Each structure stands twice: as structure tokens, then as C-alpha cells.
Amino acid sequence: MGNSKKIALALIGLILGTSLVACDDGRSGAQAAAKQLASAVAGLDLRPVAFDGRASDVANDQLNQVFKALDPVKPSVEAGDLKLEADTARFPLNYSWKIDSAEWKYTVSAELRKSGDKWLTVWSPGLLVPDLAEGEILSKSTQTPQRADILGAQDVQLVTYRPVVNVGIDKPQLGGADPADAATKLAKLVGIDPAAYVQQVKASGPEAFVPAITLRDTSSRSVTDAQIEAIPGGRAIADKLPLAPTRSFARAVLGTVGEASAEQIEKSDGALTAGDVIGTGGLQQQYDAQLRGTAGTVIRVQRADLTREEIQAAPTDPRRTVFEIPAAPGTPLKTTLDPKLQQLAEDTLVGVKPASAIVALRPSTGAVLAAASGPGSNGYNTAMLGQYAPGSTFKVVDSLAMLRSGFTPDSKVECTPTLTVDGRKFKNAEGYPEESLGSVTLRDAFAHSCNTAFISVRDKVSQAQLESAATSLGVAVEAPKLGADAFLGSVPGEAKGTEHAAAMIGQGTVLMSPLSAAIMAASVAKGAPVSPVLVLNPDAAQAASPGASEAAGTQPAEGAAPSSTVTAEAPAQTAEKPVTKAEAASLADMMRAVVTSGHAGFLADVPGEPVGAKTGTAEFGDENPPKTHAWIIAAHGDLAVAVFVEEGGLGATTSGPLLKKFLVAAG
């Protein structure tokens, strides 16, 4: 080997040697220590980390105290570029926390110090949160926005915050009084179970306020503050809650609001916490997220020993905010309910013992003005979810099918006392006038509701034609703009023999709700199919599937389920053949005849525009004589109404007076 080659190799060796020395300045060890620290913090376990100035287990305990309020969330932590100066290394620790729906990011500066051949982490609380001092921790609080209102027609507040008082025993104010005795007295005063309340008071801690009942704070409140406070420990604490004008106002439609239960909180996957107010039933539940808005979150740094009392007493907040997600208020839910008509409908039903309903619509717009379910419905939304045989109100559908088969209101039909189909005997309602038997016009048969006359034309009107006529009138058709769960009617397209004969008088497998009956009347008044509207600004993610015919199975535990056991068919998407103005005019003519010459003459003196109506009585159950549903529908100017009583005798005599009372008062 030549000298020049030896020199070259020696130079290469020198260069390589120098490079190796340069790489062995401790950077790799420092980088490993930095990575280990980042991993340990991310896992919320500092015990594997060697510290300069703090024992690992002590540092670990401090970390867990600092971050305890954020449990069970853990941060993502990464070590940034390392700067090495002799035996000291500095690098950024980049934190990222997933807090609710947001990301909290921050960076702190970390320092390593070399001790022998090991790199130790220099302890500082600032490793965890920027500028954190010894003895400080994080706190997390939720800021719940005020729940949005539910509005009615012309944006009148239906549900809004109204004053209440939370009545209960404040145990620190008992003095030497017997808690059980005080609890018993208060329970009797406000009308709750004394034994259960005594147990609640006994089971609660010595500093607790034990709520007994929440009362509306009105001038007519039956229990006064003086009566409450005369009981040892008794207190009435003023508050506000989202409430309708009265306890019963549209309750089945609107739903209620209250604190989330432990079960609801558990099922919410962290969306709900103790004390959160949520909707139960009706629109309050369906549109809960829209009404509730989004809670805000505030993360603060504070002294570990800071008490709530000290925070409240301080002239300025002794905590400092390090991260905040602003609360987003809920959006008011706009509905078409007319508060005066809704209250009138409820007042009209107040003395009716069976399940009952009044539904009022505006034919020109489809707006649902009232959907009242009576006290006998026991909280169930009979008005919108009930599934019942509509009885002779369905003759409106029959008549449309007959008009399309060549009949006119003046066509003659045969009204006989009875008619037998495949061995089953059909008859007219009790007390049917003999002078209206025989060969009569379709108008007269409709006005007096001759069952046999309509059944007699069953061979000229198929079941499929009945189904088509029903959809023409908005019955059994989806309601994409309703915005609430409802049963919209069911008219099967196939039925033979006695089943088809029964359908001709609104029985058998034909089902309607008071809402769908009102839609039918509204479609006649408008001269076109009416699609009902209740919610004007639904959140698309929460809007009900249009016209969910299975909705009748969703009654609350306390509710009275519909009497029908017939399986309802799903509604059609649209009307097969919309009713025409000419067809509707003929139907309106026959509905007017029910008032002028039929058995709804009691409506003749209702002030204002002429009233057109149709009564209905539908037998149900196995009793002899059978129980009956009582129906009446009416059109009065730009108002369509259906009145229903589940066990009500005849439609004319039971539901008719309720309808008249409603129409006269409605003006």
C-alpha cells in the first residue's frame, strides 16, 4: 500500500472517530428520557420517571391531584425538539386534551439534568400546566345554558321559565326538633307520602336540604311560605323551571322537563351530569338537544384547599381560567298551537271520564291549533296517537269513492233496517228514524248515517277504492311537516266479505286517530288534501319519522293505550289521487246536510259561517251490548275539528255537545 493511500485511510478514520464522539454527547439518552416523560404523563403515571428534586411517587401523587377533575380523560403528550447545553437539556411538552367536543392544547417547557450517566427530569408543577404553582390543581365546571322556550302561534310562549318554590326540610335549621316529626308534618301539609319522605330525611346528611315537592309560585298557591316555615326546618326556596301555563296544558303533546335521573345520566355517555334538566315525553323529549343547547365547560387553576364558601365570598374570583368552551343556548321550538284554542279544548273535555280528545286544524295551512287529550287519557296523547275505528265519520271516505264510481249526492241508495253479509247482520244505530228508510238520496243516507245504504254499495266500491279515497283526503298519508309522532290512520287496500262491509261503516280493520279525522274534515273544507303542521322549525336530526304509524305503541307507562288491537298498516307517502275542489264541494254539501236535515241539527245555530259535520259511532269489545267510540267531525270556516270519546254512546249525543261548546266559544 502506498503512503498516499495510508494517509487517506488515516484521515477517514480520524473523521469517523470525530463524528462518533460528537454523536455521543448524551443527546440520545436525553431524547429517550424526554420520550419516557411524555409517555408517563400521557398515561398519568410518573412512577417510572427519575426526578431531580422530587421522589417519583410524590410527583405521581401530585400529578393525579392536579388532573383529578378531568378524570377519566387522559392527555395526548409529545416531546418536542431537544436543546442540549452541556449537562442540561430543554424541550417542549405538547399537551392535547379531548374535553367534551373540543380540544385543549398547550405547551410547557421541560428540563432534564444529567447526573452521572442518567438524565433526570427536573420537577416543577409547571410540567403539568403552564405556570402551575405548588399547591394548585385544576377544577372543571359545567355551565348549563337556560333551556329554550316552546312557542305557540304568533310565537306566544307556551313553555318558558316560570317561578316555583322548592319545598323541603333544611336539616341545619332543625335546631333540636325531631327530623321525623318535622318531615311528617311537612309531607302532610304538601300532600306527599309521609313515610317515604321521613325515610328520605333520615337518610340524608346533617347539612342537607331534602326536597319534598316543587310548587308553582303563584298567588293562588294552596300552601304558603308561612305554613311551610312554621314547621321546624321547613323552607320554601324560590327557583324557576320551564313550565307550560298550567300543569295539564298540552302535557301529552309538549311533554315535561325535570332533572335527569341516575339512569338517564348513565345512558347519556357523559352528555348528562347530575342536576341537568332534560325533557321527558312529547316535544320536550323529541327536541331535547335543540331546546337544551350545549353546556359550556370551564377548566380553572385554583388552590387545592380553596372552598366554595371562599370562592363565593371573594370580591374577585380567586381562580384563573385556562380553558373554556362557551355554552351554546338552545333554540326555541316554534309550534302552531294556539294557546286559547288549546286551553278551550282542554276545558271542554275536563268533565269527560273516558279517554277523549279534541283536535283543531286550520284547513288553509294544515296548522294544528289544538291537540287536547282529556283527563281520562291519563297522560296518553289520545289526540295524536290513538288508534280507533272511526265509525260513520268514515262515510266521508265512502262517499268520495262513490262519487268517483258515478254517484252524486242526489243518487238513490237503499236504506233498509238491516243487511246480512255472509251471515253477519248489520243494522243502523239505535233510534234510526223510520221515515228515512227506503229509497233515499245519498245525501240523506249520509245525513242520517244509514249503515245499510253504504254497505249495500260495497260491490260498486272496492276496498282498494276506499284506500285511494282515504289518501285523497289526507288520511293514512305521511305528514312530513308535522314534526311529531302521530298515528295518521290506516285503511288496508284489501278486504273481502264482512271485512269489506265493516270497512264501509268505518269498522273492521280501518283505524284513525282524532288527528287524522280532523285532517279528513280539513281536506273537505280546503278542497285539497291537507298535510298537518305542528313544529315549524324542527332540528332535522331530531324530527320524527313522518307519520310513524307504530307510534301508538310508545305511550308512557302511566298512559291509557288505545283500545284497538288491529295491526295498522304504514301510511302512504302521498295521496294517490288528490281530492278535487268539485269532489270536496259535494262532500261539503253532504256534511252540511247532516246539520240542516240530519242528526246534528244542534249545530245549526252556531254563530258565523255554516257548519258541516259528520257523526260516528263505532262498536268495540266483546260486551253485549258492545261499548262504542263516539266521534264527530266538523268544518266551520277555516277551522276543522274532530271530537272523540273512547266510551261514549252515540257520536251525536256524546261528542256533539262537546263540539258545539268548542265551536261557539272558539268564535
Side-chain angles (χ1 to χ4, degrees):
M1 184 182 297
N3 284 338
S4 59
K5 198 168 185 179
K6 286 179 182 178
I7 292 168
L9 286 172
L11 285 170
I12 291 168
L14 181 62
I15 292 165
L16 285 173
T18 306
S19 300
L20 288 171
V21 170
C23 288
D24 195 23
D25 59 0
R27 178 174 292 275
S28 59
Q31 286 174 332
K35 188 174 181 181
Q36 182 196 35
L37 176 64
S39 177
V41 175
L44 302 182
D45 185 0
L46 294 179
R47 288 172 298 180
V49 178
F51 286 96
D52 179 16
R54 185 65 51 105
S56 298
D57 57 345
V58 175
N60 187 62
D61 288 344
Q62 191 167 348
L63 171 140
N64 282 287
Q65 285 300 313
V66 169
F67 292 146
K68 185 177 181 181
L70 305 185
D71 184 64
V73 180
K74 291 183 178 182
S76 170
V77 186
E78 291 183 356
D81 292 339
L82 194 103
K83 289 184 179 178
L84 191 66
E85 294 178 9
D87 289 341
T88 301
R90 291 183 178 83
F91 60 93
L93 271 182
N94 301 312
Y95 282 75
S96 175
W97 295 84
K98 181 74 172 163
I99 305 294
D100 300 331
S101 59
E103 194 174 20
W104 177 28
K105 290 184 173 184
Y106 59 83
T107 299
V108 298
S109 180
E111 184 178 338
L112 301 173
R113 193 168 295 150
K114 195 170 185 182
S115 176
D117 58 354
K118 291 185 69 176
W119 286 95
L120 305 179
T121 299
V122 178
W123 171 254
S124 164
L127 281 173
L128 307 178
V129 178
D131 303 321
L132 191 74
E134 290 288 350
E136 289 185 327
I137 60 170
L138 293 179
S139 64
K140 179 184 176 185
S141 59
T142 300
Q143 295 179 330
T144 304
Q146 183 161 296
R147 192 175 183 87
D149 293 345
I150 296 182
L151 308 175
Q154 285 78 54
D155 289 346
V156 172
Q157 292 171 318
L158 300 182
V159 179
T160 190
Y161 276 82
R162 303 179 196 273
V164 297
V165 286
N166 296 314
V167 181
I169 296 292
D170 195 9
K171 293 186 78 172
Q173 294 191 11
L174 275 168
D178 176 20
D181 181 56
T184 301
K185 287 178 179 174
L186 185 65
K188 288 179 177 177
L189 176 66
V190 299
I192 64 171
D193 178 15
Y197 186 56
V198 167
Q199 286 303 314
Q200 278 182 269
V201 172
K202 283 183 175 178
S204 60
E207 300 298 313
F209 171 77
V210 188
I213 195 170
T214 299
L215 301 173
R216 287 173 182 260
D217 195 9
T218 63
S219 57
S220 60
R221 176 154 51 100
S222 58
V223 179
T224 67
D225 287 4
Q227 289 173 299
I228 294 163
E229 289 164 6
I231 297 168
R235 279 190 73 193
I237 301 173
D239 197 1
K240 286 190 174 183
L241 284 178
L243 296 172
T246 67
R247 187 178 184 278
S248 61
F249 182 89
R251 189 180 179 96
V253 177
L254 299 175
T256 57
V257 175
E259 282 196 9
S261 67
E263 183 182 2
Q264 288 168 324
I265 292 168
E266 189 178 340
K267 287 182 178 178
S268 74
D269 292 328
L272 296 173
T273 57
D276 281 352
V277 171
I278 66 165
T280 301
L283 300 179
Q284 288 285 9
Q285 181 171 328
Q286 185 178 338
Y287 294 98
D288 182 64
Q290 176 174 335
L291 292 163
R292 183 155 46 93
T294 306
T297 300
V298 181
I299 297 174
R300 298 181 177 93
V301 170
Q302 67 174 65
R303 287 196 339 262
D305 60 351
L306 190 66
T307 65
R308 179 173 296 188
E309 290 72 22
E310 286 175 327
I311 295 170
Q312 291 173 341
T316 57
D317 197 329
R319 304 166 294 178
R320 72 175 187 275
T321 299
V322 289
F323 181 71
E324 183 172 5
I325 305 170
T331 302
L333 190 69
K334 297 184 178 185
T335 76
T336 57
L337 288 178
D338 182 309
K340 291 180 181 177
L341 289 182
Q342 178 69 31
Q343 191 61 58
L344 173 59
E346 292 182 12
D347 292 345
T348 304
L349 295 173
V350 76
V352 180
K353 291 183 179 179
S356 61
I358 294 178
V359 175
L361 298 181
R362 183 79 68 209
S364 58
T365 62
V368 179
L369 304 176
S373 299
S377 295
N378 295 321
Y380 183 69
N381 190 355
T382 302
M384 295 176 66
L385 296 178
Q387 296 188 23
Y388 300 99
S392 291
T393 59
F394 194 70
K395 287 172 184 167
V396 176
V397 172
D398 293 346
S399 298
L400 177 57
M402 291 169 70
L403 293 174
R404 290 175 173 177
S405 297
F407 287 78
T408 71
D410 294 310
S411 296
K412 292 295 179 111
V413 291
E414 295 303 314
C415 180
T416 56
T418 63
L419 184 66
T420 302
V421 179
D422 295 343
R424 179 179 172 183
K425 189 177 183 180
F426 292 90
K427 61 180 182 177
N428 295 316
E430 293 296 327
Y432 188 87
E434 283 194 28
E435 62 271 20
S436 297
L437 292 171
S439 185
V440 298
T441 64
L442 174 58
R443 182 186 293 104
D444 287 343
F446 186 94
H448 293 97
S449 205
C450 179
N451 290 338
T452 58
F454 282 88
I455 295 172
S456 70
V457 299
R458 67 192 180 282
D459 293 336
K460 297 177 183 176
V461 177
S462 69
Q463 186 71 21
Q465 287 173 304
L466 286 183
E467 180 188 31
S468 176
T471 65
S472 299
L473 292 163
V475 175
V477 179
E478 288 183 357
K481 294 182 180 178
L482 185 64
D485 288 334
F487 176 70
L488 299 167
S490 177
V491 183
E494 293 183 16
K496 296 178 180 178
T498 57
E499 201 68 30
H500 178 47
M504 297 294 292
I505 56 171
Q507 300 205 167
T509 53
V510 175
L511 296 171
M512 289 174 71
S513 63
L515 171 65
S516 57
I519 291 168
M520 180 170 65
S523 297
V524 173
K526 184 180 181 180
V530 169
S531 186
V533 180
L534 175 62
V535 177
L536 296 172
N537 65 330
D539 183 317
Q542 298 176 74
S545 54
S549 53
E550 71 277 10
T554 63
Q555 68 268 16
E558 64 177 350
S563 62
S564 171
T565 56
V566 179
T567 300
E569 294 199 356
Q573 286 190 330
T574 57
E576 184 180 314
K577 182 183 177 185
V579 65
T580 65
K581 286 201 177 295
E583 290 169 338
S586 293
L587 295 174
D589 167 64
M590 292 193 286
M591 287 178 68
R592 180 59 181 161
V594 175
V595 177
T596 57
S597 62
H599 48 217
F602 54 85
L603 296 173
D605 61 351
V606 172
E609 295 189 52
V611 178
K614 184 69 194 84
T615 58
T617 305
E619 297 179 349
F620 72 96
D622 301 322
E623 294 184 19
N624 191 12
K627 293 180 179 180
T628 56
H629 303 316
W631 293 86
I632 190 165
I633 59 171
H636 184 216
D638 198 17
L639 188 66
V641 183
V643 180
F644 168 79
V645 178
E646 187 177 44
E647 295 179 28
L650 300 177
T653 56
T654 302
S655 295
L658 298 172
L659 172 68
K660 182 174 182 179
K661 182 180 178 182
F662 180 83
L663 290 179
V664 169

